[in-house]
Amino acid sequence: MSEDVILTLLSENLIFILAAVFLLLCLFLAVRIVPQSEKYVVERFGRLHSVLGPGINLIVPFMDVVRHKVSVLERQLPNESQDAITSDNALVQVETSVFYRVIEPERTVYRIRDVDSAVQTTIAGIVRSEIGKMELDEVQSNRSHLIGEIKVLVEEAVNDWGIEVTRAEILDVNLDVATREAMLQQLNAERARRASVTEAEGHKRATELNADAELYAAEQAAKARRVTADAEAYATQVVAEAINTHGIESAQYQVALKQVEAIADLAQGDGQQTIVLPASAIDAFGEAFGMLAGRSKK
């Protein structure tokens, strides 16, 4: 009896039950919850209709279809090595690394099939082109400038793909054995040249200092001679004034006094030498004492 009742109720309410199931299915298909790290590309009858951002979104069931789920997180491509030739014909192997993220998924999914491979190919071509414009020394010394140029050119090249290149790095620049040995010889020669220049500059500086010292010594000797000459001139002037004031006796007194001082200098010693005095020495003593006596009387 109960089974018949259930079947009767189902048959009478089948339409309502199907309608409720259909409504639930439509609600399930209409609501799309998009994660923060992704964007959904929606197509309507096979054509691009919209792009769903993070959060709850509503679409038209059976008409709109989420065709692509694209991650907007920053991606790092595998490190890639490619050969390049510089403007001075040096073969180098450059290892690069690229980071990018998708900012316009509708352009990424409809304009390029394999975006990672496309970016790597673009990077390789741009790196070869830019290194071909530079010499080997410039590649080694201006790596930051080279990275900046590559990043700008890559951004321009991938602009139609709806992605943004956040970083482009040159991890290493490897040289072949012959080039490396040539650079090592050049480095050693440069070091030897710098050492020679430094040594020559040291000798030059030492010569300049010696010349300055000799010049300073000559200037000091000239100053000493000038002071001595000034002193002698002053002494001569004093003697001349004394002669003019006191007569010839003053001059004779000075001469006799100098003779006495000279004999006293000769007499100094350890007592083991013989001193021979001229005959005029006794007269000089006499004249000096006579003059002193005459002055004391006056």
Side-chain angles (χ1 to χ4, degrees):
M1 181 67 181
S2 59
E3 294 180 356
D4 295 337
V5 173
I6 294 173
L7 291 174
T8 303
L9 292 175
L10 289 175
S11 61
E12 293 178 353
N13 300 312
L14 181 61
I15 296 177
F16 298 101
I17 294 173
L18 293 176
V21 172
F22 180 76
L23 289 176
L24 291 175
L25 180 61
C26 291
L27 182 62
F28 176 78
L29 296 176
V31 176
R32 287 290 181 268
I33 299 177
V34 182
Q36 182 68 38
S37 60
E38 295 182 348
K39 288 185 178 181
Y40 290 177
V41 178
V42 178
E43 293 182 354
R44 177 173 292 179
F45 301 120
R47 299 186 62 181
L48 173 65
H49 175 66
S50 62
V51 177
L52 305 182
I56 298 177
N57 298 269
L58 297 177
I59 62 175
V60 179
F62 307 108
M63 295 177 59
D64 297 340
V65 178
V66 176
R67 186 66 62 185
H68 303 281
K69 297 180 180 180
V70 182
S71 174
V72 294
L73 295 177
E74 186 173 0
R75 310 178 190 181
Q76 179 185 7
L77 295 179
N79 297 343
E80 190 75 13
S81 296
Q82 57 264 354
D83 295 333
I85 300 177
T86 61
S87 60
D88 51 353
N89 296 323
L91 178 63
V92 296
Q93 188 177 38
V94 184
E95 184 177 357
T96 59
S97 178
V98 179
F99 296 80
Y100 76 94
R101 63 188 183 92
V102 177
I103 57 177
E104 298 181 45
E106 66 277 15
R107 302 173 70 178
T108 305
V109 297
Y110 291 115
R111 295 193 177 185
I112 189 72
R113 179 180 295 276
D114 188 349
V115 63
D116 290 350
S117 178
V119 172
Q120 286 181 339
T121 303
T122 303
I123 288 288
I126 292 176
V127 167
R128 290 192 182 97
S129 176
E130 290 301 309
I131 290 181
K133 300 176 183 177
M134 304 173 66
E135 295 183 354
L136 180 59
D137 293 339
E138 295 177 346
V139 174
Q140 296 286 352
S141 59
N142 297 330
R143 186 176 297 185
S144 59
H145 175 72
L146 178 61
I147 291 173
E149 290 292 330
I150 291 174
K151 185 175 182 297
V152 172
L153 294 175
V154 171
E155 288 178 349
E156 294 177 356
V158 303
N159 185 45
D160 291 339
W161 300 340
I163 64 176
E164 177 187 14
V165 177
T166 56
R167 282 185 295 172
E169 299 290 342
I170 295 180
L171 302 179
D172 198 5
V173 178
N174 298 317
L175 308 175
D176 57 0
V177 177
T179 304
R180 189 175 304 172
E181 291 179 354
M183 290 188 64
L184 182 59
Q185 294 177 359
Q186 182 181 1
L187 179 61
N188 292 333
E190 180 65 19
R191 289 176 178 173
R193 185 190 67 81
R194 291 181 180 179
S196 300
V197 171
T198 303
E199 184 178 1
E201 289 179 351
H203 287 310
K204 178 183 177 182
R205 183 59 179 166
T207 303
E208 292 176 350
L209 292 176
N210 291 332
D212 293 341
E214 293 177 358
L215 179 60
Y216 178 76
E219 290 177 352
Q220 295 301 316
K223 290 181 181 179
R225 288 195 297 269
R226 185 175 62 185
V227 171
T228 302
D230 292 341
E232 291 178 354
Y234 177 74
T236 303
Q237 182 180 0
V238 171
V239 172
E241 291 178 354
I243 293 173
N244 187 31
T245 304
H246 302 287
I248 194 61
E249 294 180 354
S250 298
Q252 294 175 349
Y253 170 75
Q254 291 293 331
V255 173
L257 186 59
K258 292 294 183 181
Q259 291 178 350
V260 172
E261 292 176 354
I263 294 172
D265 292 337
L266 290 174
Q268 291 180 357
D270 55 5
Q272 296 181 359
Q273 69 273 9
T274 302
I275 301 175
V276 179
L277 297 177
S280 60
I282 304 301
D283 296 337
F285 280 110
E287 292 176 359
F289 284 114
M291 292 179 183
L292 288 175
R295 289 192 175 189
S296 61
K297 290 179 181 181
K298 293 181 181 180

